[in-house]
Amino acid sequence: MVTKTLDEAISDFGRSTAAKLSNPAIAGAPEDQLRGPLEALMAELAGLAGHAQGAVDLIGETTLSESRTRPDYAVTVRNALVGFIEVKAPGKGANPLRFSGQHDKAQWERLKSLPNLLYTDGNTFSLWQDGDRVGEVVKLEGDVETSGSSLAAPMSLVALVGDFLNWKPIAPRSPKQLAEISARLCRLMREEVTEQLKARNAGLTSLAADWRMWLFPEADDESFADGYAQAVTFGLLIARAGNISLAGGVDQAANALRQSNSLIGTALRLLTDDAEHQKALETSLGTMLRVFEEVTWSVLSKGDTDAWLYFYEHFLEVYDNKRRKQTGSYYTPPEVVNAMVRLVDEALRGPLFGRAQGLASNDVIIADPAVGTGTFLLGVLRSIARTVGDDLGPGSVPGALEGAAQRVIGFELQFGPFAVAQLRLLAEFAELTEAAGNRGALPDLRLYITDTLGNPFVEEEHIPSIMQPIARSRQEANAIKKGQPITVVIGNPPYKEKAEGRGGWIEAGSVDTQAPMERWRPPASWGVGAHTKHLKNLYIYFWRWASLKVFGAGQFDATGVKETDEEGIICFITVAGFLNGPGFQKMRADLRESCTDIWVIDCSPEGHQPEVATRIFQGVQQPVCIVLAARKIGKDAKQAARVHFRSLPEGRREEKFTALAAIALGGDWVDAPKEWRGPFLPEATGQWADFPSLKSLFDYDGSGVMPGRTWVIAPDKQSLDARWNRLIAEKDVEIKEHLFHPHLRNGQPGDKHIRKKLKARIGDQVDAPKPIIDETGSVETLVPYSFRSFDRQWIIADGRLINQPNPTLWTWHSVQQVYLTALERVAPGEGPAVTIAGAIPDLDHFRGSFGGRVSPLWSNAAATSSNMSAAVLAQLAETYGHEVSAPDLMAYIAAVLAHPAFTARFAKDLKQPGLRVPITADASLFAEAVALGREVIWLHTYGERF
């Protein structure tokens, strides 16, 4: 067959498209009508571009659907995938950057990950490679709907199609570039899987069910799509790292990979075994196979095993940076890992444990419960290799590491980092044994795909043979969680606030066992209920798991809870909120009871939101700390642990790394208070230590009101009336629930909801109210509300609407009440250390974050009973020679603390939270301060008090 000229080919194309598009008898969308003519045109253009007849194939769907994400055609040249074609309706254009429809925009966000993509609407053609346009948009002369045989095209169309058909994957030049390419294709696969699940693809839906049964019972479709995409992506990358060719397809690669890596190989085979799966995901999977075949990892990594560490961090930034932050995935700098491993090794060698070889001791079992890319376990192996090499010589290292492989355990929830960890650890084994001149067979690693926080007592049913290696990983992990003694737990557990429902068995327990987290929940009598929400953080769940496994603190088995006497170490780097937050008092008390010694390193002496250059984790704004908690066997539970504290110097992270490298457990540390519930922070010293604490001057202090929904607060009464009336008038229950704005727990309404029944209302309203769903009356009580310092608003004073009203404040409230508010778990920073309010204050009244404590002046609504410490008032009376009233002491506190000179004067002392009050022994100076403080309170309360 002789190839037509460009003019002839385009003329035939125009004649064919005009006939189809103008014929009302032909059904289908306009882009469907382009299908046949476009396939014929591409065959002719391929010939004009130099390709032999039959060498180019367009593989498309039966019909072209606007609902699909995937491109309309996959294009092969001599059976090798080269790219994709996306067809749009005539007139829509071929520049996706100008598309206005939501579907087209969303589709482009996915398809721009492809390395070679041709867009056309019949009239225009454009080429896009890795999201960037190549050359100009080529426009035909005429219109495919009306021009017929007179349609013409410039020669640049042949050049454009030639560039498209001649594409060949270029080998990535660096690990970072490979990470970016892999992330884009992995993200595209995730979207394809999600789309197929929504379309109820039978094979993938069944596979997702198996995934939930054998691996992650709590996984939803989104989690499955994410796990699937990462497992396939990293399975193929590990195959290439092992020089396994992908040219023979994913099946051959999976079978070859299973010879050396049964878990990853089985996962890859399982996830892609079905031909229908491969067809449903041919866009992303086919592109991965073609692109990854060009990867030679040994060339990219240049033998640097840490290249994988940064590889995964770069991968996450492109793949889903938001998801990375949501799951708390941040790699730990090697400088931090090395220091933590060294400190654990020192502790094991010291008098508490007496293990002369530290981590290299044969009876020390080490686990990382959130192994990530394996950095901590790598640090442990390197430490063991150094110890054995120094003590016994290099020739002893391979045997020692083979034994260590059975003592080092890693759990990981995500397939991507799990695969990276496995590859890094095997590479490290090879390097360390080669350095000893005695490379042997690589050991089996005790790495497991599992949810560390999941229920270890789940009984397994019959496991299909194809699932055996994967399900066995979960079974073995559960066996370790149930019965394996662990000496050291080390790592960087994920950080995720508001993680209720994500703590698995540790958080929720089971039918047969109480939730282990209940052990750390403060009793109601401690008055810190509003702060217990901070326990619902992933890193706290991991702390609880570790304390249970290492110390036997409330250990569970199938028969229930028991106490065991175990020895060991937990060494975590985490957010520092638990060091002094009021909601963590029971946790601190339990750790003091369980441990012999606790060492705390403050890594963020600059406080909250420090300069990025000073942060250990540059993407984390919260202060972080390293904590090493150790328990010697036979520890007396009645003797509180010794808590030792020190801070890294303020400055750049590199300066902190240098300081961290020099820290030893036997160095200079400051002791923390010995109170069971006290903070893991240093005791006050010097003049500051002699001042009484602000807390000690009041009999009661508590949390402010936590409404839980913003609509119950407004600057004016009219807005609240309108909001209430809108809610009450709504007849549709679902809409009413939405307007109410309930907090959800595991998909169900939490603290307050429209069906909630209360025994009594807050304040002076004592009648038992009906649930909101049955309410028909007008709003009853609107009261002034101290929303923020110097920001007075109104609130609907209705206990049905307020999540945690703190009834004490409402019971004691009157027109004479005065409230002092201050931060407790963080320093106040610049500005006043306290502020005063006359209306009931919000939980975050002081500065809009970090909660705080409210200290009322009076302990009843009649203002006849003082909330100030009677002992303090008596001592002041004795000192000054005359009676001192509660309002006088409140005024004195306001004069001393409610201005920026106080925080400036005691800036160094205030770096550790916990306000103290300098009290003069001079009666006349006290009186002068009282007079000044009364005016301060009068001003803070807008002239309504004092």
Side-chain angles (χ1 to χ4, degrees):
M1 176 181 173
V2 179
T3 301
K4 297 178 182 176
T5 65
L6 176 61
D7 288 341
E8 292 170 335
I10 294 297
S11 179
D12 288 348
F13 178 64
R15 185 183 306 108
S16 180
T17 56
K20 287 187 172 239
L21 292 168
S22 63
N23 187 347
I26 300 178
E31 54 267 41
D32 279 318
Q33 307 312 318
L34 288 177
R35 183 184 184 90
L38 180 64
E39 292 171 3
L41 175 63
M42 287 299 297
E44 297 296 341
L45 292 175
L48 291 170
H51 290 275
Q53 180 184 351
V56 176
D57 286 315
L58 272 64
I59 305 166
E61 298 294 311
T62 305
T63 60
L64 309 183
S65 169
E66 278 294 313
S67 65
R68 288 183 300 99
T69 293
R70 59 196 297 182
D72 298 314
Y73 287 96
V75 181
T76 63
V77 176
R78 290 179 292 279
N79 296 321
L81 178 69
V82 297
F84 300 89
I85 298 176
E86 175 60 24
V87 183
K88 295 300 178 186
K92 185 169 282 190
N95 187 346
L97 300 181
R98 296 183 179 178
F99 291 159
S100 57
Q102 285 301 111
H103 167 77
D104 291 326
K105 285 183 175 181
Q107 185 191 43
W108 168 242
E109 281 302 308
R110 297 174 174 90
L111 296 188
K112 68 182 182 181
S113 299
L114 293 172
N116 196 33
L117 175 65
L118 189 71
Y119 262 95
T120 181
D121 70 342
N123 289 314
T124 53
F125 294 76
S126 65
L127 178 60
W128 301 80
Q129 293 180 347
D130 296 317
D132 296 323
R133 196 179 72 200
V134 177
E136 297 299 319
V137 176
V138 176
K139 189 177 188 313
L140 303 190
E141 299 166 12
D143 185 276
V144 292
E145 295 183 87
T146 59
S147 294
S149 59
S150 64
L151 191 67
M155 282 301 298
S156 56
L157 178 62
V158 177
L160 185 77
V161 171
D163 288 342
F164 171 69
L165 296 176
N166 293 330
W167 173 86
K168 287 183 174 56
I170 299 174
R173 296 183 296 274
S174 67
K176 183 176 182 180
Q177 188 180 53
L178 174 61
E180 293 168 352
I181 293 170
S182 304
R184 289 198 299 268
L185 294 177
C186 186
R187 189 171 59 207
L188 179 62
M189 177 171 283
R190 183 187 68 190
E191 300 301 332
E192 281 196 297
V193 173
T194 300
E195 186 175 78
Q196 291 296 318
L197 290 174
K198 288 180 179 177
R200 308 310 298 165
N201 178 293
L204 283 171
T205 300
S206 174
L207 190 57
D210 289 341
W211 181 280
R212 279 186 277 270
M213 178 180 295
W214 300 117
L215 285 175
F216 308 117
E218 306 299 324
D220 55 16
D221 283 353
E222 181 182 5
S223 299
F224 168 72
D226 174 62
Y228 183 109
Q230 287 205 47
V232 172
T233 301
F234 282 92
L236 295 175
L237 286 173
I238 285 185
R240 291 302 299 133
N243 292 320
I244 296 172
S245 175
L246 306 182
V250 68
D251 297 331
Q252 288 186 19
N255 289 331
L257 187 59
R258 291 180 71 201
Q259 302 304 311
S260 59
N261 193 318
S262 62
L263 181 57
I264 295 294
T266 299
L268 184 60
R269 179 190 170 197
L270 173 68
L271 297 176
T272 58
D273 187 56
D274 191 289
E276 289 301 314
H277 295 175
Q278 295 187 32
K279 178 174 175 55
L281 308 176
E282 62 185 353
T283 301
S284 54
L285 184 57
T287 306
M288 277 186 190
L289 291 169
R290 186 77 199 279
V291 172
F292 290 176
E293 177 65 13
E294 302 301 316
V295 173
T296 304
W297 178 252
S298 59
V299 174
L300 294 179
S301 66
K302 300 179 177 64
D304 179 12
T305 56
D306 282 338
W308 276 108
L309 165 68
Y310 301 104
F311 176 91
Y312 193 69
E313 188 71 6
H314 293 316
F315 172 89
L316 283 178
E317 288 174 0
V318 176
Y319 173 65
D320 196 336
N321 198 38
K322 181 179 179 182
R323 190 177 185 89
R324 178 193 73 159
K325 293 178 180 179
Q326 287 176 342
T327 57
S329 299
Y330 291 94
Y331 81 91
T332 312
E335 296 88 347
V336 174
V337 174
N338 293 339
M340 292 171 63
V341 170
R342 178 176 52 78
L343 291 172
V344 169
D345 190 67
E346 180 185 345
L348 287 169
R349 295 171 186 265
L352 284 181
F353 301 101
R355 306 296 208 282
Q357 288 194 306
L359 288 165
S361 303
N362 290 330
D363 61 343
V364 173
I365 310 297
I366 306 109
D368 184 344
V371 78
T373 54
T375 308
F376 280 95
L377 297 187
L378 275 173
V380 168
L381 291 175
R382 289 167 180 169
S383 174
I384 293 172
R386 279 194 303 271
T387 296
V388 173
D390 291 344
D391 290 351
L392 303 175
S396 301
V397 170
L401 289 181
E402 184 176 351
Q406 298 307 305
R407 299 188 290 106
V408 173
I409 300 166
F411 296 149
E412 177 52 46
L413 183 63
Q414 301 179 77
F415 258 100
F418 171 84
V420 171
Q422 192 167 55
L423 192 64
R424 291 181 73 204
L425 287 167
L426 288 172
E428 188 70 15
F429 268 107
E431 183 175 327
L432 290 172
T433 53
E434 278 181 355
N438 185 20
R439 180 174 183 178
L442 295 176
D444 291 332
L445 299 176
R446 298 182 74 184
L447 297 182
Y448 303 99
I449 285 283
T450 189
D451 180 359
T452 302
L453 307 176
N455 188 352
F457 302 108
V458 171
E459 293 295 329
E460 304 290 359
E461 300 176 4
H462 172 70
I463 305 171
S465 58
I466 192 173
M467 297 288 292
Q468 282 285 349
I470 296 178
R472 191 183 306 120
S473 174
R474 180 183 169 196
Q475 289 177 319
E476 292 175 359
N478 280 343
I480 292 171
K481 288 190 281 183
K482 280 188 292 188
Q484 169 75 66
I486 294 177
T487 318
V488 174
V489 167
I490 187 170
N492 170 18
Y495 169 86
K496 176 66 176 73
E497 288 185 297
K498 300 177 182 177
E500 185 173 13
R502 297 186 58 182
W505 175 74
I506 293 293
E507 176 191 9
S510 64
V511 175
D512 301 321
T513 59
Q514 183 189 53
M517 272 303 298
E518 287 301 311
R519 186 182 179 93
W520 285 1
R521 187 174 300 281
S525 60
W526 289 11
V528 293
H531 297 277
T532 57
K533 64 181 180 181
H534 299 296
L535 289 167
K536 300 169 184 177
N537 193 308
L538 276 180
Y539 86 95
I540 297 296
Y541 297 151
F542 275 85
W543 260 108
R544 180 67 189 101
W545 179 87
S547 71
L548 185 151
K549 278 302 298 176
V550 176
F551 306 141
Q555 182 65 270
F556 285 88
D557 61 20
T559 64
V561 65
K562 61 179 179 177
E563 293 294 327
T564 59
D565 184 14
E566 308 290 347
E567 67 174 0
I569 294 170
I570 302 171
C571 189
F572 278 159
I573 179 168
T574 67
V575 171
F578 74 99
L579 297 182
N580 66 311
F584 303 103
Q585 292 182 29
K586 191 69 163 57
M587 173 185 176
R588 292 195 295 269
D590 190 53
L591 289 174
R592 278 188 167 97
E593 180 180 321
S594 298
C595 297
T596 310
D597 285 88
I598 299 171
W599 288 268
V600 178
I601 302 174
D602 178 11
C603 300
S604 308
E606 300 84 358
H608 185 67
Q609 292 183 330
E611 292 293 329
V612 173
T614 71
R615 301 176 188 171
I616 294 292
F617 301 104
Q618 294 184 305
V620 178
Q621 299 181 2
Q622 293 86 349
V624 299
C625 64
I626 296 170
V627 175
L628 191 155
R631 172 189 173 90
K632 182 178 181 180
I633 200 162
K635 193 265 179 181
D636 182 0
K638 296 180 180 179
Q639 184 72 36
R642 298 179 292 266
V643 179
H644 319 279
F645 181 92
R646 68 185 301 162
S647 289
L648 296 180
E650 294 189 20
R652 299 180 65 85
R653 69 198 300 251
E654 291 78 12
E655 297 168 355
K656 293 180 177 180
F657 292 156
T658 300
L660 195 55
I663 290 177
L665 298 182
D668 295 327
W669 298 79
V670 178
D671 288 336
K674 297 179 181 178
E675 291 88 349
W676 288 99
R677 292 152 54 183
F680 287 173
L681 297 172
E683 289 187 292
T685 58
Q687 185 185 35
W688 182 255
D690 295 332
F691 301 152
S693 68
L694 176 64
K695 190 179 185 70
S696 70
L697 303 183
F698 294 87
D699 292 332
Y700 165 87
D701 67 88
S703 300
V705 175
M706 188 176 76
R709 47 196 53 82
T710 57
W711 68 265
V712 301
I713 305 166
D716 59 276
K717 293 182 177 182
Q718 291 81 5
S719 294
L720 295 178
D721 271 327
R723 294 171 188 174
W724 172 270
N725 293 335
R726 171 72 181 87
L727 174 70
I728 299 307
E730 180 56 54
K731 302 300 182 185
D732 187 298
V733 173
E734 289 188 7
I735 296 177
K736 183 180 288 248
E737 191 84 66
H738 175 73
L739 291 172
F740 182 84
H741 192 71
H743 284 181
L744 298 181
R745 294 178 179 173
N746 299 321
Q748 299 299 318
D751 291 340
K752 298 292 170 69
H753 48 83
I754 60 175
R755 296 173 178 81
K756 182 81 172 184
K757 295 181 180 180
L758 298 184
K759 295 180 180 179
R761 297 186 182 181
I762 56 178
D764 56 2
Q765 299 173 315
V766 296
D767 294 335
K770 63 182 73 171
I772 289 293
I773 194 172
D774 299 325
E775 182 63 75
T776 57
S778 59
V779 63
E780 291 187 18
T781 308
L782 303 177
V783 300
Y785 186 62
S786 296
F787 183 56
R788 298 288 181 264
S789 292
F790 316 115
D791 179 7
R792 301 196 306 174
Q793 301 201 30
W794 295 85
I795 189 170
I796 303 176
D798 191 322
R800 295 172 294 179
L801 311 181
I802 300 174
N803 272 7
Q804 296 186 31
N806 191 344
T808 300
L809 296 182
W810 296 92
T811 302
W812 292 0
H813 184 66
S814 72
V815 295
Q816 294 175 284
Q817 185 65 274
V818 176
Y819 304 97
L820 180 147
T821 67
L823 296 179
E824 181 180 47
R825 63 188 180 94
V826 296
E830 298 178 349
V834 301
T835 59
I836 314 295
I840 289 178
D842 187 85
L843 173 68
D844 293 319
H845 172 262
F846 181 77
R847 86 173 195 197
S849 61
F850 293 111
R853 305 301 280 175
V854 177
S855 301
L857 171 59
W858 304 108
S859 60
N860 63 0
T864 57
S865 176
S866 165
N867 183 44
M868 310 297 295
S869 168
V872 172
L873 291 174
Q875 184 176 355
L876 292 178
E878 181 179 345
T879 300
Y880 302 142
H882 59 77
E883 184 179 350
V884 174
S885 70
D888 284 346
L889 182 53
M890 178 71 92
Y892 177 85
I893 296 170
V896 175
L897 272 65
H899 58 93
F902 175 82
T903 52
R905 167 66 179 80
F906 296 105
K908 182 178 179 181
D909 299 300
L910 286 169
K911 285 186 179 297
Q912 303 305 329
L915 290 174
R916 292 177 176 269
V917 185
I919 299 183
T920 180
D922 186 325
S924 62
L925 188 59
F926 181 83
E928 184 179 348
V930 168
L932 180 61
R934 284 180 171 274
E935 184 173 1
V936 169
I937 294 175
W938 177 73
L939 288 168
H940 278 217
T941 60
Y942 292 80
E944 293 179 352
R945 303 288 188 272
F946 283 30

